[in-house]
Amino acid sequence: MIELLVVIAIIAILAAMLLPALATAKQRSQSLKCLSNLKQMNLAYFMYVQDTGQMVEYVSTEALLMQTLISYQSQVAAIRLCPIAANTNKLANAQGTAALPWYWGSAPSANLNTGSYAINGWLYEWNAKGDIATWVPSTEAHLFFQKETGLTHPVDTPSFYDAIWPDAWPLITDQLASDLTVGDVNGPLGRCSLSRHPLKPAKAVPNQLVPGAINMSFADGHVASWKLQNIKNVIWHVGFTPNANPWATSP
């Protein structure tokens, strides 16, 4: 009996040692799948741009980018779901979290109403006659890239990224969400303020190092894990000056 108890104790110790490693390996695998999804979305976006000669249309508030790009994704809606935030059975409301996808209830098709990523809204085509003019005023129209030729530094320009909402228009004045588990749908950078890779509870404290990371694709086609600490060290829109300080409110 004593020997059996010793064996059980050893097994329990080994399991306790192995489980964290297995969990880490699982999250790493999920993150790689997420990066693959972002690469496919990026490819669909630029296939559309090259075929039409224009940036992706903001077709309507009901459909956003999803309806425009679905035909370029072989009708596969699953690539909009990060494996870490893919459980559509637990949707609580419209916005997502680090662990749950967003739900776009007004979408005209079930293939269009969920996702775990956002498009960099400045990559839409701004059209004064379109729905986008309702949400982004004409005073900010000059910040849109409008044409592929406007992407002068594509290697530094985000295209798609982990988020709790389908799109966002980040500015240097934006602030990160304080709770990196739920993000903040009311702020452009708040929508991607997530500690998703790896998934773990985290807080962002003003003027301190920001924990956590998201996955991101860029206009040159590459994808990368991106630390929230560097969230402003990219070129979000025309004229945006990268800043290594995530708490900066000016160039």
Side-chain angles (χ1 to χ4, degrees):
M1 180 64 72
I2 293 176
E3 291 178 351
L4 179 59
L5 291 174
V6 169
V7 170
I8 292 173
I10 292 173
I11 292 173
I13 292 170
L14 290 174
M17 293 172 62
L18 289 173
L19 283 176
L22 291 174
T24 299
K26 180 181 179 181
Q27 288 219 18
R28 176 60 178 164
S29 174
Q30 291 174 322
S31 184
L32 290 174
K33 174 60 177 173
C34 174
L35 288 168
S36 175
N37 287 348
L38 287 167
K39 197 168 187 68
Q40 291 182 65
M41 292 183 68
N42 219 36
L43 179 61
Y45 178 93
F46 285 102
M47 284 175 62
Y48 174 93
V49 170
Q50 290 163 12
D51 284 353
T52 63
Q54 65 183 46
M55 303 308 247
V56 161
E57 291 182 277
Y58 190 107
V59 176
S60 68
T61 302
E62 287 74 24
L64 302 181
L65 69 121
M66 292 86 77
Q67 184 167 305
T68 310
L69 292 185
I70 190 69
S71 61
Y72 284 85
Q73 298 166 351
S74 301
Q75 304 295 315
V76 179
I79 71 166
R80 290 198 309 274
L81 290 168
C82 169
I84 291 175
N87 191 342
T88 57
N89 295 320
K90 294 185 177 181
L91 296 173
N93 49 38
Q95 71 184 69
T97 68
L100 291 173
W102 45 258
Y103 175 69
W104 201 250
S106 62
S109 165
N111 281 336
L112 308 177
N113 63 18
T114 56
S116 309
Y117 308 116
I119 186 174
N120 175 9
W122 302 113
L123 287 176
Y124 280 125
E125 179 188 47
W126 194 88
N127 185 330
K129 297 180 179 180
D131 277 12
I132 195 167
T134 303
W135 307 107
V136 184
S138 59
T139 53
E140 294 182 353
H142 66 285
L143 302 178
F144 287 79
F145 292 99
Q146 288 295 81
K147 295 288 185 181
E148 190 174 12
T149 53
L151 296 166
T152 56
H153 298 281
V155 68
D156 297 315
T157 303
S159 46
F160 297 92
Y161 46 91
D162 284 297
I164 62 171
W165 203 248
D167 50 26
W169 292 265
L171 297 167
I172 191 66
T173 52
D174 295 334
Q175 292 298 305
L176 291 153
S178 58
D179 189 334
L180 303 179
T181 300
V182 298
D184 178 9
V185 74
N186 295 313
L189 284 184
R191 296 178 181 183
C192 62
S193 297
L194 302 174
S195 182
R196 184 176 282 176
H197 298 284
L199 181 66
K200 58 183 179 181
K203 301 284 186 179
V205 180
N207 301 313
Q208 293 188 21
L209 188 70
V210 183
I214 57 174
N215 285 337
M216 184 179 286
S217 64
F218 291 81
D220 71 331
H222 85 278
V223 293
S225 173
W226 203 256
K227 293 180 179 180
L228 295 179
Q229 177 67 21
N230 293 321
I231 201 65
K232 292 185 179 180
N233 203 15
V234 292
I235 300 175
W236 282 108
H237 58 69
V238 172
F240 191 99
T241 301
N243 197 314
N245 178 9
W247 302 106
T249 56
S250 61

